Amino acid sequence: MKVHNFNAGPSILPNEVLYKASKALIDFEGSGMSILEIGHRTAPFMAVMEEARSLVKELMQLEDDFEVLFLQGGATMQFMQIPMNLLENGETAAYIDTGVWSSKAIKEAKLFGYTDVIASSKESNYNHIPKQFTIPQQASYLHITTNNTIYGTQWQSTPESSIPLVADMSSDILSRSMDFNKYSLIYAGVQKNMGAAGATMVAVRKSMLGKVTRKIPSILDYRNHIENGSMLNTPPVFAVYITMLTLRWLKEQGGIPAIEKINDKKAALLYDEIDHNPLFRGTVVKEDRSKMNACFIMDKPEMEEEFIKFCKKEDIVGIKGHRLSGGFRVSMYNALPYESVEVMVEAMKYFSLKKA
Amino acid sequence: MKVHNFNAGPSILPNEVLYKASKALIDFEGSGMSILEIGHRTAPFMAVMEEARSLVKELMQLEDDFEVLFLQGGATMQFMQIPMNLLENGETAAYIDTGVWSSKAIKEAKLFGYTDVIASSKESNYNHIPKQFTIPQQASYLHITTNNTIYGTQWQSTPESSIPLVADMSSDILSRSMDFNKYSLIYAGVQKNMGAAGATMVAVRKSMLGKVTRKIPSILDYRNHIENGSMLNTPPVFAVYITMLTLRWLKEQGGIPAIEKINDKKAALLYDEIDHNPLFRGTVVKEDRSKMNACFIMDKPEMEEEFIKFCKKEDIVGIKGHRLSGGFRVSMYNALPYESVEVMVEAMKYFSLKKA
Ligand SMILES: Cc1ncc(COP(=O)(O)O)c(C=O)c1O
Ligand SMILES: Cc1ncc(COP(=O)(O)O)c(C=O)c1O
Ligand SMILES: [Mg+2]
Ligand SMILES: [Mg+2]
Ligand SMILES: [Mg+2]
Ligand SMILES: [Mg+2]
């Protein structure tokens, strides 16, 4: 029996993907071997890797200059790998701080050059996306986090920028239409909307690379991964396989425009309940609310534990807020069915009536 | 139907591990969620991580000073991460070059300090392990590759060293008894003897750390991973899970001493056939032969393709040699049953009779 899985990441995956992977774990495409037992340089796995890379380009409609890589180390590795590859010693990179993840990215960039934090919503506990900022024209790039997973904020549109845009899209990648070609580098740990923990997607414009003078260790130089078709060394085979299956699934759903419609409906249903239900209150300014991670609290915090227990009986899991923001966080990634949000909303309604 | 899987890595895994993982992919311990869908900071996954870490310590009988980590990036990431953490600017690290993997490790170390390659078997196409070398007493560490996966050589004993020993054990980890406590840092991509591609095991003595002055990016600093129980960021959940299951399996077999006996028998059977069969010839000096990867050639190279085709009909896969060494490479990792080597030897005998 499946639960209603609102985990923030690693998080729910499509059932079809899990069933297919479960079979491949015993016998991959009739090879007499598990997907875990085949060489990564064999034709069957190379095909998996190539399909995953090209599905990303297709679904996001990326221009030819982009190369798609599946690396290791999580989005956290990118916090340092990006400035190492793009930020020259003594030069400046601009960052907008919308929470823990951007802050961590800023911290790592300081090891390679100067950082200019041109806006931050820290003062108001990251409850909104900054609107006022001036992009320094001489900066090497501007880094944003399109969706803040912890505080539940989301950029509603891509900032206009004449300098290269770099984005951490870990928690809203492939969930909504965007002009991805406005970016120069997009990265995401795949464990939320794209696949299973263990692979990091990096889509980078080739024209951005090779401009810094520092010596970059082989494994951290994007150019080496590009040259080797994302197979510089043993890739995280299974995580890439799950990603490929999840991308196939998304394409079958109708791609990003189709999933976006469902994501809009799910978010509307939940936020509507948050707003109308007297027990609950959203923590983020309305116009910046994330459609992936809805954060809310109770006016009576002492009831929160009770509500979580109540939900557990309804097979609702993963709704406890991050320790930094408290309350609740309900994550509604691509694979979460609309029905799970209905069940969640029913639970909120019922609990509220019981308490009235 | 299972084939006889002699792949060099990723490679064969125990059937029990695959069956268990296949179930956990649909429902992990009755949670109503896949192992891929649970948060990594939940109690059930933390237990997996802790069990994997402590099984390594137990099976290798590591002293308390050792910390066991499961990182990302493969053994290749360690080529740079080790000197970054252990080699001070301007200081020297000693390396012994036994093939491609040591050479790559040496190349990355040069980015952080000086390297002193105190011995190399390159001149003889890496067909042996160097015996004559002097360890420079002022070097920060001595790095060896205990088993060369490509050329099929293996250190038969640990060199006596008064400076810290660092070893890449990617292709013979957990396959034989060694005094692991003679080492200060041991690392291995887990995709051969320990698990599935996507995790790298690092066992490091805490006393080795914190001695270099350079600023280390957070994700590359071993101390941060230690402090966070190998969960600094989202770990490669599934690869760690497979590793934990494989370690449990090894313990059930009787641990390293028990598997070593079987590995010895497998290697003896195969090398005996190589030596006695007139068609085949080993490429490595006898005393340095690897029990994990047996490399051999045919006196009539034009027959090699034919033999590989013949083997394929017998459901024998993965025996083609690495492009750098040619001929055949038969990998006999822990999970490979003795019966598979018997089938291999039968094929060699039969082919030889047919050609006589
Ligand atoms: C927006 C964002 N960036 C970065 C990370 C860190 O990702 P990883 O754990 O893959 O390093 C997360 C993790 O949840 C995230 O939500
Ligand atoms: C001895 C040895 N070291 C390092 C590596 C590289 O490992 P990875 O692909 O995990 O980076 C290999 C890969 O086969 C190996 O056999
Ligand atoms: Mg952020
Ligand atoms: Mg309300
Ligand atoms: Mg080597
Ligand atoms: Mg012979």
Side-chain angles (χ1 to χ4, degrees):
Chain A
M1 199 265 340
K2 285 292 265 195
V3 297
H4 300 286
N5 182 348
F6 297 101
N7 277 334
S11 40
I12 189 165
L13 284 167
N15 276 330
E16 297 93 301
V17 168
L18 297 172
Y19 280 103
K20 191 131 200 213
S22 174
K23 281 188 189 154
L25 215 55
I26 302 300
D27 186 83
F28 178 59
E29 295 182 355
S31 64
M33 288 177 278
S34 165
I35 174 85
L36 305 183
E37 297 179 310
I38 61 167
H40 56 288
R41 299 201 193 277
T42 55
F45 182 72
M46 304 263 276
V48 168
M49 176 61 94
E50 276 319 302
E51 186 172 344
R53 296 176 76 200
S54 70
L55 277 172
V56 170
K57 278 195 95 159
E58 181 186 335
L59 289 163
M60 295 173 71
Q61 304 193 318
L62 296 176
E63 287 167 2
D64 277 351
D65 187 32
F66 272 102
E67 289 278 351
V68 176
L69 303 172
F70 290 102
L71 306 181
Q72 294 186 64
T76 303
M77 183 71 79
Q78 295 310 307
F79 295 163
M80 61 89 28
Q81 197 169 347
I82 288 164
M84 186 183 241
N85 280 269
L86 305 185
L87 180 57
E88 181 60 303
N89 303 313
E91 303 274 315
T92 299
Y95 281 76
I96 296 180
D97 172 26
T98 53
V100 171
W101 304 114
S102 347
S103 306
K104 291 195 181 201
I106 293 162
K107 182 176 168 228
E108 300 307 313
K110 287 185 198 298
L111 296 173
F112 300 93
Y114 296 102
T115 55
D116 187 355
V117 181
I118 61 171
S120 171
S121 46
K122 188 172 183 176
E123 294 297 296
S124 49
N125 201 30
Y126 296 118
N127 73 347
H128 69 282
I129 299 289
K131 311 281 177 314
Q132 303 296 331
F133 47 82
T134 310
I135 301 172
Q137 292 312 301
Q138 76 295 354
S140 303
Y141 59 79
L142 169 63
H143 178 286
I144 66 168
T145 311
T146 52
N147 185 77
N148 185 289
T149 327
I150 292 178
Y151 300 96
T153 58
Q154 190 171 29
W155 286 78
Q156 304 303 314
S157 61
T158 300
E160 285 307 324
S161 170
S162 57
I163 65 172
L165 260 180
V166 171
D168 176 357
M169 296 195 184
S170 291
S171 50
D172 67 351
I173 186 92
L174 299 171
S175 72
R176 56 171 173 163
S177 306
M178 286 172 85
D179 188 353
F180 298 109
N181 289 309
K182 285 190 173 166
Y183 294 85
S184 293
L185 189 153
I186 293 166
Y187 67 104
V190 304
Q191 65 268 18
K192 299 175 210 290
N193 265 329
M194 279 185 89
T200 318
M201 194 282 290
V202 175
V204 59
R205 286 187 187 276
K206 283 194 292 287
S207 52
M208 292 289 289
L209 305 175
K211 293 179 178 167
V212 296
T213 53
R214 78 173 56 83
K215 281 190 182 145
I216 302 173
S218 308
I219 186 87
L220 294 172
D221 192 326
Y222 294 126
R223 289 172 300 175
N224 291 331
H225 291 281
I226 291 171
E227 245 172 58
N228 288 278
S230 204
M231 295 263 230
L232 178 60
N233 65 329
T234 317
V237 169
F238 193 70
V240 172
Y241 178 63
I242 292 286
T243 302
M244 185 278 279
L245 293 177
T246 306
L247 291 165
R248 259 194 205 166
W249 170 85
L250 181 55
K251 186 173 169 181
E252 281 159 18
Q253 307 304 302
I256 295 179
I259 208 77
E260 181 173 28
K261 272 196 201 131
I262 304 171
N263 288 337
D264 284 352
K265 269 185 63 186
K266 289 188 291 189
L269 180 64
L270 181 64
Y271 281 117
D272 194 55
E273 183 60 24
I274 291 169
D275 290 339
H276 288 98
N277 190 314
L279 288 189
F280 302 95
R281 192 156 44 86
T283 51
V284 165
V285 301
K286 284 194 183 179
E287 73 264 24
D288 294 334
R289 281 173 165 177
S290 164
K291 284 175 179 155
M292 293 289 103
N293 317 95
C295 291
F296 53 102
I297 53 176
M298 275 180 150
D299 278 322
K300 303 192 178 126
E302 65 280 6
M303 258 187 213
E304 290 181 354
E305 267 312 310
E306 195 186 336
F307 180 63
I308 286 177
K309 272 191 197 134
F310 171 78
C311 285
K312 208 168 172 186
K313 275 191 270 169
E314 306 294 312
D315 293 319
I316 290 170
V317 304
I319 63 168
K320 201 175 158 67
H322 190 280
R323 133 192 81 77
L324 290 172
S325 44
F328 308 100
R329 171 174 53 177
V330 168
S331 299
M332 299 169 285
Y333 296 119
N334 286 353
L336 184 87
Y338 183 75
E339 293 66 40
S340 286
V341 183
E342 286 182 318
V343 171
M344 179 71 213
V345 163
E346 277 313 307
M348 292 165 77
K349 278 194 211 298
Y350 186 86
F351 191 77
S352 168
L353 284 176
K354 231 177 52 170
K355 293 286 159 193
Chain B
M1 198 261 343
K2 286 292 266 195
V3 296
H4 301 287
N5 183 348
F6 296 100
N7 277 333
S11 40
I12 190 164
L13 285 168
N15 276 330
E16 298 91 302
V17 168
L18 296 173
Y19 279 103
K20 191 130 200 216
S22 174
K23 280 186 191 157
L25 215 54
I26 302 299
D27 186 84
F28 179 58
E29 295 182 354
S31 63
M33 288 176 278
S34 165
I35 175 87
L36 306 184
E37 299 178 309
I38 61 167
H40 56 289
R41 301 204 190 274
T42 55
F45 182 72
M46 304 263 276
V48 168
M49 176 62 92
E50 276 320 301
E51 187 172 344
R53 296 175 77 201
S54 70
L55 278 171
V56 169
K57 279 195 95 160
E58 181 185 336
L59 290 163
M60 294 173 74
Q61 303 192 319
L62 296 176
E63 287 166 3
D64 277 351
D65 187 32
F66 273 102
E67 289 279 352
V68 176
L69 303 172
F70 290 102
L71 306 180
Q72 294 186 64
T76 303
M77 184 70 79
Q78 295 309 309
F79 295 163
M80 60 91 26
Q81 197 169 349
I82 287 164
M84 185 182 242
N85 280 269
L86 304 186
L87 180 57
E88 180 61 304
N89 303 313
E91 303 275 313
T92 298
Y95 281 76
I96 295 180
D97 173 27
T98 52
V100 170
W101 304 114
S102 347
S103 305
K104 290 194 182 201
I106 293 162
K107 180 175 169 229
E108 301 306 314
K110 286 186 198 298
L111 296 173
F112 300 93
Y114 296 102
T115 56
D116 186 356
V117 181
I118 61 172
S120 171
S121 46
K122 187 171 185 177
E123 294 298 296
S124 50
N125 200 30
Y126 296 117
N127 73 347
H128 70 282
I129 299 288
K131 310 281 175 313
Q132 304 295 332
F133 48 83
T134 312
I135 301 173
Q137 292 312 300
Q138 76 295 353
S140 304
Y141 59 80
L142 169 63
H143 178 285
I144 66 168
T145 310
T146 51
N147 185 78
N148 185 290
T149 327
I150 292 178
Y151 301 97
T153 57
Q154 190 171 29
W155 285 79
Q156 304 303 314
S157 61
T158 300
E160 285 307 323
S161 170
S162 57
I163 65 172
L165 260 180
V166 170
D168 177 359
M169 298 196 183
S170 291
S171 50
D172 67 353
I173 186 91
L174 300 170
S175 73
R176 55 170 174 164
S177 305
M178 286 171 86
D179 188 354
F180 298 109
N181 290 309
K182 286 191 174 165
Y183 294 84
S184 294
L185 189 152
I186 293 167
Y187 66 103
V190 304
Q191 66 269 17
K192 299 174 210 289
N193 265 330
M194 280 185 90
T200 319
M201 194 282 290
V202 175
V204 59
R205 285 186 188 277
K206 282 193 293 287
S207 52
M208 291 290 289
L209 305 175
K211 293 180 179 168
V212 296
T213 53
R214 76 172 58 83
K215 283 193 181 137
I216 301 173
S218 308
I219 187 87
L220 294 172
D221 191 327
Y222 295 125
R223 290 171 301 174
N224 290 331
H225 290 281
I226 291 171
E227 247 172 58
N228 288 279
S230 204
M231 295 263 229
L232 179 60
N233 64 330
T234 317
V237 169
F238 194 70
V240 172
Y241 178 63
I242 292 286
T243 303
M244 185 279 278
L245 293 177
T246 306
L247 291 165
R248 260 193 207 167
W249 169 86
L250 180 57
K251 186 174 170 181
E252 281 160 18
Q253 307 305 302
I256 294 179
I259 208 78
E260 181 173 28
K261 272 195 202 133
I262 304 172
N263 288 337
D264 283 351
K265 269 185 63 185
K266 289 187 292 189
L269 180 64
L270 181 64
Y271 281 117
D272 194 57
E273 183 61 26
I274 291 169
D275 290 338
H276 289 97
N277 191 314
L279 288 189
F280 301 95
R281 191 156 45 86
T283 51
V284 164
V285 303
K286 284 193 183 179
E287 73 266 24
D288 295 334
R289 281 175 166 176
S290 165
K291 285 175 178 154
M292 293 289 103
N293 316 96
C295 292
F296 52 102
I297 53 176
M298 277 181 148
D299 278 322
K300 301 193 179 127
E302 65 281 7
M303 258 188 214
E304 290 182 354
E305 267 313 309
E306 196 187 336
F307 181 63
I308 285 178
K309 272 193 195 130
F310 171 77
C311 284
K312 206 166 174 188
K313 274 190 270 169
E314 306 295 311
D315 293 319
I316 290 170
V317 303
I319 63 167
K320 200 176 160 69
H322 190 279
R323 132 192 82 77
L324 290 171
S325 45
F328 308 101
R329 170 174 54 177
V330 169
S331 299
M332 299 170 285
Y333 296 119
N334 285 353
L336 185 87
Y338 183 76
E339 293 67 40
S340 286
V341 183
E342 287 181 319
V343 170
M344 178 73 214
V345 164
E346 278 312 307
M348 290 165 78
K349 279 195 210 298
Y350 185 87
F351 190 79
S352 167
L353 286 175
K354 231 177 54 171
K355 294 285 158 191

